[in-house]
Amino acid sequence: MQTSIATVSLSGGLAEKLEAIAAAGFAGVEIFESDLLSFNGTPRDVARLVASLGLKIVTFQPFRDFEGMPEPQRTRTFARAERKFDLMGELGCDLMMICSNVAPDSLGGVDRAAADFHELGERAAKRGIRVGFEALAWGRHVSDYRDAWEVVRRCDHAAVGVTLDSFHIFSRRTDLKAISSIPRDKIALVQLADAPWLEMDVISWSRHFRCFPGQGDFPLLDFMNAVFDTGYEGLLSLEIFNDQFRAGSARTVAVDGRRSLVYLLDQMRRRLGAAAKPVPAMPPRAKCLGVEFVEFTADDVAATELAALFAGLGFSKVGEHRSKAVTHWSQGAINLVLNSDKDGFAHSYQVTHGPSVCAMCLKVNDAAATLDRAERLRDTPFRQAVGPGELEIPAVRGLGGSLLYFVEPGSALGRLWDIDFKPLPQGGGAAGLIAIDHISQSMHYDEMLSWLLFYVALLDVNKTPQLDVIDPGGIVRSQVIQSPDGALRIALNASQSQQTLSSRFLYEYFGSGVQHIAFGTGDIVATVKKLRENGVAMLTIPDNYYDDLEARTDLPADRLGELRANGILYDRDDSGEYLQAYIANVGGLFFFEIVERRGYKGFGAVNAPIRLAAQARLSPKAAA
Ligand code: MG
Ligand code: MG
């Protein structure tokens, strides 16, 4: 199925938008009038530019307040339409989109609207142009696609069809059943937009919060199911008004748009099987079995400090890379890689970002298929030279230019520690850490939807609802992606305030990246005691927190005393308890968390403000 996107979805000038749209692999583009008006050239220049990029102009938008006008406005409206037809002729575009009338002086009545469309259809057909009628959710007389379709049906003109826009349909929670009964040749265009469910006026919701399929909450598969029922094989066009997209780079947002449609169509193919025949096959979302390793990059000084911290956390240095200055640290099922080599990706990452997490490796069921899917989703594959006999691990670019590697059990990729590393004698001193519970990544606010889609489209993960966490410097928006069994949990955090810990992390670190890693333990009290013995500084939690905890829970006094003495935060939900403790900041950038999860499903959001305030006190640059 061919795809298209509206110029209004992207930032920049028209030429920049068109180049980004073509580079992302779209076949078509909806040209918005505002983009044409600000373009330094004639409509014919636009037509030539579009053709030179291999694109087709799907439609020219918008044409408002057409149907049901009384005279003398009606005559003027038709004259206005004729001028638009002239312009469309110069643009080389044959579909005019008309959204339902919102003018206070417009008149209702299906037959009146149908008669207007019949006359417009006559005029359009003479020029080889078609007309699509779309019900705006806030239209004055027509606000429901079923009414728009009734107008089109009664007008009964070959040049007039109905446009289906998922936002207008879902925002009014309109039943989808009637879509299936529209003949496919009467559907002029299908426009797709997702959005979070919000309680607000529909116009603001539409103009600021639309997003790409998969980034919001609308049941778009049900919508697509109804569209497929009609046999429609025309264009799927993204029409997204979103402030974050208008703040981001046109190229990135265009790629996200393509990715969203590739992912949506893949889901349709899986749902419908052979009935979804115009959709190409691709490997399924990768089943994630866990985090195989997290790789830190550091110069020699920072590497020495990090190695001491790893040892303090109970990790053993179990291997040394055969050809590079890279060590392997292990405890329970956790593997950490410390890279201070003077060559290669990790080194250049270190030069830009300082000591940081430069890569994560996921254990998946099929690494090659995961890379194949990633490439089809327009993720960016990464390769670098490896030593003789060493493994080339499939990888794509992740957040902030970091890498996301994929290995699988049962192949050479599952034996990477034996192949690439020389084993060292195991030390003792483990602190009871079992596995990585979750990884938290901080990013710019306008990147959040992008990385959400990246993970959800590639991996078999679900997303939790968005959550706002109070930081002393402002609000941090947080959303978690996790695999059904919890083998992978990644928290995505972003803030529009410059003063939050999340934002200061971005500033000091020169970009987005891993902010903290939470290690799971089966006995947090024993683990924290062991860490203290090892000289690891833990984050101090104020006494007030425990006084409040005592007041709002039924925890016995000795249990509370134990939490208080060890700086452990507590939460519980319907499914269990959650205990958290934090290592005091490492260089003010990333940090480590220790958690004991007893069936609990969340991430201790209730405790986040306490933790953030305690961390802010530690940092000299903390918000006042
Ligand atoms: Mg629309
Ligand atoms: Mg956490």
Side-chain angles (χ1 to χ4, degrees), residues 77-358:
T77 303
F78 274 93
R80 188 159 58 88
E82 293 281 0
R83 283 207 303 280
K84 288 288 157 77
F85 288 158
D86 294 342
L87 186 60
M88 288 170 61
E90 291 175 47
L91 279 173
C93 150
D94 67 358
L95 176 63
M96 175 188 253
M97 290 266 296
I98 298 191
C99 45
S100 57
N101 205 325
V102 299
D105 51 354
S106 65
L107 305 171
V110 172
D111 288 321
R112 185 195 318 270
D116 286 347
F117 272 102
H118 192 89
E119 182 175 341
L120 191 67
E122 286 288 293
R123 295 181 186 217
K126 285 193 190 118
R127 300 172 181 250
I129 286 174
R130 294 168 305 128
V131 171
F133 184 35
E134 172 189 63
L136 289 183
W138 53 90
R140 194 161 190 90
H141 303 286
V142 175
S143 56
D144 183 317
Y145 79 91
R146 293 168 295 196
D147 296 334
W149 162 232
E150 183 58 18
V151 168
V152 168
R153 198 184 67 77
R154 289 196 192 199
C155 134
D156 191 25
H157 196 289
V160 181
V162 66
T163 294
L164 299 172
D165 180 317
S166 62
F167 181 87
H168 292 296
I169 293 173
F170 283 122
S171 61
R172 292 179 60 92
R173 299 175 195 253
T174 318
D175 193 283
L176 300 172
K177 268 207 273 331
I179 291 175
S180 313
S181 60
I182 304 174
R184 69 174 173 179
D185 59 324
K186 298 308 276 182
I187 301 176
L189 187 63
V190 171
Q191 291 183 314
L192 287 167
D194 201 344
W197 288 118
L198 297 170
E199 292 300 327
M200 67 190 302
D201 79 279
V202 181
I203 296 183
S204 304
W205 188 13
S206 172
R207 298 215 171 131
H208 304 285
F209 294 96
R210 287 183 180 220
C211 53
F212 290 134
Q215 293 178 326
D217 300 329
F218 287 170
L220 282 172
L221 291 181
D222 296 341
F223 174 77
M224 287 302 298
N225 219 46
V227 168
F228 270 67
D229 274 348
T230 68
Y232 177 82
E233 287 184 18
L235 279 162
L236 295 178
S237 194
L238 296 167
E239 188 197 31
I240 316 289
F241 311 90
N242 183 298
D243 304 335
Q244 280 162 265
F245 293 0
R246 299 298 295 254
S249 110
R251 286 225 163 212
T252 308
V253 173
V255 167
D256 283 352
R258 261 298 275 171
R259 177 177 299 137
S260 76
L261 290 179
V262 171
Y263 174 41
L264 181 75
L265 288 172
D266 181 51
Q267 291 174 86
M268 286 314 295
R269 191 179 58 79
R270 284 168 207 289
R271 184 189 266 211
L272 297 177
K277 64 179 174 350
V279 180
M282 61 194 275
R285 294 199 299 168
K287 185 165 168 46
C288 189
L289 312 170
V291 177
E292 179 64 27
F293 67 80
V294 175
E295 181 173 348
F296 295 79
T297 180
D299 58 18
D300 291 340
V301 175
T304 307
E305 289 172 13
L306 264 177
L309 180 64
F310 290 171
L313 291 171
F315 286 87
S316 299
K317 184 157 76 170
V318 294
E320 250 165 17
H321 197 277
R322 295 187 190 277
S323 64
K324 300 178 195 164
V326 177
T327 51
H328 170 205
W329 297 73
S330 160
Q331 181 173 188
I334 310 164
N335 295 295
L336 305 179
V337 169
L338 182 50
N339 190 329
S340 55
D341 208 60
K342 297 288 177 283
D343 239 352
F345 169 80
H347 179 67
S348 39
Y349 199 86
Q350 191 277 128
V351 169
T352 313
H353 303 283
S356 50
V357 172
C358 63

Side-chain angles (χ1 to χ4, degrees), residues 6-10 12-15 17 30-41 46 59-64 84 87 91 241 246:
T7 54
V8 74
S9 314
L10 306 179
L14 182 57
K17 293 182 188 208
E30 294 183 29
I31 303 272
F32 264 65
E33 191 165 31
S34 52
D35 282 308
L36 183 66
L37 297 180
S38 57
F39 180 72
N40 189 19
V46 173
T59 183
F60 179 63
Q61 274 224 69
F63 191 80
R64 301 184 195 280
K84 288 288 157 77
L87 186 60
L91 279 173
F241 311 90
R246 299 298 295 254

Side-chain angles (χ1 to χ4, degrees), residues 437-438 440 491 516-518 578 580 582 591 593 595 603 611:
D437 183 87
H438 64 273
S440 164
H516 78 258
I517 299 172
Y578 192 57
Q580 308 167 265
Y582 289 86
F591 55 92
E593 177 183 5
V595 307
F603 295 85
R611 181 262 294 182

Side-chain angles (χ1 to χ4, degrees), residues 390-428:
E390 292 172 10
L391 286 173
E392 185 171 345
I393 308 177
V396 294
R397 290 280 181 174
L399 177 67
S402 66
L403 296 183
L404 193 61
Y405 287 108
F406 309 110
V407 295
E408 68 199 17
S411 78
L413 287 173
R415 293 187 288 114
L416 89 117
W417 305 117
D418 303 331
I419 295 172
D420 284 7
F421 288 81
K422 282 190 300 249
L424 297 174
Q426 292 253 4

